[in-house]
Amino acid sequence: MPYLSIIPAAAVADGRLSDTHIRVLCAIGTHTNKLGGNVWASVGTLAKESNLSERTVQRSVLALVECGYITRTERVGRTNLYEVSLQSLPPVTAVAPPPSVQSPKRVKERYTLTDDDKDCLSYCWATFPKRDMPTPYPLWAVAFRDLRTAGVSCDDIAKAAQGYAAYVTKEGTDPKYVKTIHRFYADGSWESHCVKTVGGRTRDEWARSGQDVEEFDKMAAI
């Protein structure tokens, strides 16, 4: 592994980036040419050099692309090509816009994730069936916040991911036809896959076994 890494100095002070993001950026920067390009290191290589999991590296790459510090070119059947952006980036803190002449609107309060929310967010991301073209993690995070703001429970969100994963496996759905996770929840598709179970069985399965469905309803409501 090279001794030096080429990265934009602005990234160090950018509050949008975590220490993990910087580690991944540094790992990419060790493979650049003098202009910051020609990086064809695999996710596995970057994970090993930054001492992180491959999934964490993938999420960090998406964040770095979104913030403008790297560009990524996907190559079918080959490793992705990365380039570190060495040109001057716009300042992170933008100047406040002038007062609007329109009537003031109530600003929607941003939902703050709890520890349980963060666990559910990660669980659903890992459980949801994968597509040929992965969904950017930030889009899923926005969709999740919208669900929680609307009052949907973490339990229902997680059950929907489980239900859809089981459906895709059962039907043998081609990965290119798998829904994107953020669209799955945004368009209401998740509701048909959010099936309550007791003891690993649905209400219909409970009834077919001859057990009292009223007892199922009581236990499912707990």
Side-chain angles (χ1 to χ4, degrees), residues 62 125 131 133-140 179-182:
L62 292 175
W125 179 259
R131 307 177 68 245
M133 294 293 291
T135 300
Y137 191 82
L139 291 180
W140 160 228
K179 290 178 176 286
T180 59
I181 186 170
H182 61 291

Side-chain angles (χ1 to χ4, degrees), residues 15-30:
R16 297 172 298 174
L17 302 183
S18 66
D19 292 344
T20 298
H21 296 150
I22 297 297
R23 287 168 64 181
V24 173
L25 181 58
C26 287
I28 294 173
T30 61

Side-chain angles (χ1 to χ4, degrees), residues 43-61:
V43 171
T45 297
L46 296 175
K48 182 178 180 181
E49 293 177 352
S50 58
N51 196 28
L52 299 167
S53 69
E54 293 188 11
R55 180 65 66 184
T56 299
V57 169
Q58 291 171 333
R59 291 199 296 265
S60 297
V61 165

Side-chain angles (χ1 to χ4, degrees), residues 11 13-18 21 63 66-69 89-93:
D14 193 332
R16 297 172 298 174
L17 302 183
S18 66
H21 296 150
E66 184 179 6
C67 292
Y69 289 107
L89 295 172
V92 175
T93 54

Side-chain angles (χ1 to χ4, degrees), residues 8 26 44-45 68 78 198 219:
C26 287
T45 297
R78 305 168 66 188
V198 173
M219 297 178 67

Side-chain angles (χ1 to χ4, degrees), residues 9 42 67-68 87 92 95 118 133 136 141 168 171 182 185 187 194 196 211-212:
S42 68
C67 292
Q87 70 269 23
V92 175
V95 178
K118 294 175 182 177
M133 294 293 291
V168 166
E171 297 295 322
H182 61 291
Y185 285 98
D187 66 12
C194 179
K196 291 184 179 295
Q211 291 184 269
D212 187 356

